[in-house]
Amino acid sequence: MNKSIINKIQNTAKANQKQLAVLIDPDKSSDEYIQSICKNAKLAQVSFFLVGGSLLTDGNMDDTISQLKQKTDIPIIIFPGSSSQISKHADGILFLSLLSSRNPEMLIGQQVVAAPFLKKTNLEIISTAYLLIDSGEQTTASYISNSQPIPANKAEIAACTALAGEYMGMQVLYLDGGSGAKNPVSAEMISKVKEYTKNPLLIGGGINTLEKAKTAWNAGADVIVVGNAFEQDDSFCLALGELLSEINQ
Ligand code: 1GP
């Protein structure tokens, strides 16, 4: 199987270089937004796009990914809310297991349903330990996944869960406060998790200022994922790109 995306994420993290990813929600992706975010993402040296959402209403994965493909050569990775969010037009998929939950459907059920569909595609499969972290109020992700997020002040639970994911052979770790999170994952939790695991660490949810991005990168995030803040002001992507190149110097 093609491993170019995971190799790049791992090698960049090993070289201690920070990365930025853009989350595209198919429900909120007008032609105009896709056009401008693709342009800004290139300038900001975005490493990859994630496409998906906990709950899709009007959006369509195939259409959104095809639109992105026409406008960018940055890798496009599916970030699925369920087994129905698969598109052969993407480059890869975060094959998530929601390790913070105790809901068998999100731990293994959806994955079994998705597996035969994925076998028929050329998508790069990236095995991902996915942890929802409490961000101050209930998010769509925790409601729809019927799961309790890890309490924000229990860094050791996140760290032990992350380590368990690594021992299970997962390739990356994603700590997510959920889309539009009131509070992002704390620096304390990020650094504790980083002490425990070697896997590249993605942090997302509620990162909407340069300060929050810097805090997450400095605490040990290898990749920060931003969605909502770019939808509100896509020039924030350019500002984050500048911060990223300063940090990576
Ligand atoms: C959500 O981590 C992503 O799953 C991004 O969150 O939309 O709050 O940036 P935001």
Side-chain angles (χ1 to χ4, degrees):
M1 194 212 297
N2 183 3
K3 290 191 169 175
S4 61
I5 299 174
I6 186 63
N7 286 344
K8 188 144 187 239
I9 294 173
Q10 286 169 335
N11 293 339
T12 311
K14 264 188 214 146
N16 214 15
Q17 293 285 294
K18 303 299 183 181
Q19 300 168 73
L20 173 62
V22 177
L23 173 66
I24 302 285
D25 178 342
D27 277 346
K28 301 183 198 158
S29 54
S30 63
D31 289 357
E32 198 187 10
Y33 178 63
I34 297 239
Q35 177 94 26
S36 63
I37 196 68
C38 284
K39 195 171 127 227
N40 291 355
K42 189 180 167 102
L43 294 168
Q45 297 192 300
V46 161
S47 296
F48 51 89
F49 283 99
L50 293 180
V51 182
S54 311
L55 176 69
L56 295 192
T57 53
D58 302 327
N60 178 295
M61 292 291 287
D62 277 333
D63 291 350
T64 303
I65 291 168
S66 303
Q67 261 181 300
L68 281 165
K69 272 275 161 210
Q70 285 167 19
K71 296 185 174 68
T72 184
D73 48 16
I74 296 171
I76 297 168
I77 306 176
I78 299 167
F79 173 45
S82 74
S83 58
S84 63
Q85 290 181 25
I86 295 175
S87 168
K88 63 179 183 196
H89 304 299
D91 300 298
I93 182 166
L94 294 184
F95 196 65
L96 307 169
S97 182
L98 182 56
L99 294 191
S100 55
S101 81
R102 295 298 177 267
N103 176 356
E105 193 53 33
M106 303 312 282
L107 286 160
I108 183 63
Q110 294 281 318
Q111 295 78 352
V112 172
V113 175
F117 291 96
L118 291 173
K119 191 169 160 54
K120 292 185 201 131
T121 70
N122 290 319
L123 294 173
E124 181 177 338
I125 313 283
I126 302 163
S127 174
T128 304
Y130 184 50
L131 279 60
L132 285 175
I133 310 300
D134 193 296
S135 57
E137 53 190 34
Q138 188 166 45
T139 59
T140 307
S142 74
Y143 183 82
I144 293 288
S145 63
N146 191 19
S147 74
Q148 262 187 24
I150 294 175
N153 61 349
K154 299 287 182 191
E156 67 284 3
I157 298 180
C160 295
T161 309
L163 185 58
E166 185 177 311
Y167 288 162
M168 289 163 92
M170 291 167 180
Q171 298 163 294
V172 299
L173 169 65
Y174 188 167
L175 264 59
D176 195 350
S179 190
K182 192 170 161 197
N183 304 307
V185 179
S186 70
E188 294 70 29
M189 184 175 278
I190 296 171
S191 54
K192 182 61 137 187
V193 163
K194 202 65 187 171
E195 265 173 45
Y196 273 59
T197 60
K198 297 188 294 291
N199 276 342
L201 174 57
L202 281 66
I203 297 289
I207 298 177
N208 52 14
T209 65
L210 290 176
E211 203 48 49
K212 287 176 189 171
K214 198 172 184 178
T215 301
W217 272 322
N218 285 344
D222 295 297
V223 184
I224 64 164
V225 181
V226 178
N228 272 270
F230 293 161
E231 288 158 14
Q232 277 151 34
D233 173 11
D234 62 20
S235 68
F236 181 50
C237 183
L238 298 175
L240 264 186
E242 277 173 30
L243 175 63
L244 179 67
S245 50
E246 269 169 39
I247 288 180
N248 280 341
Q249 261 170 20

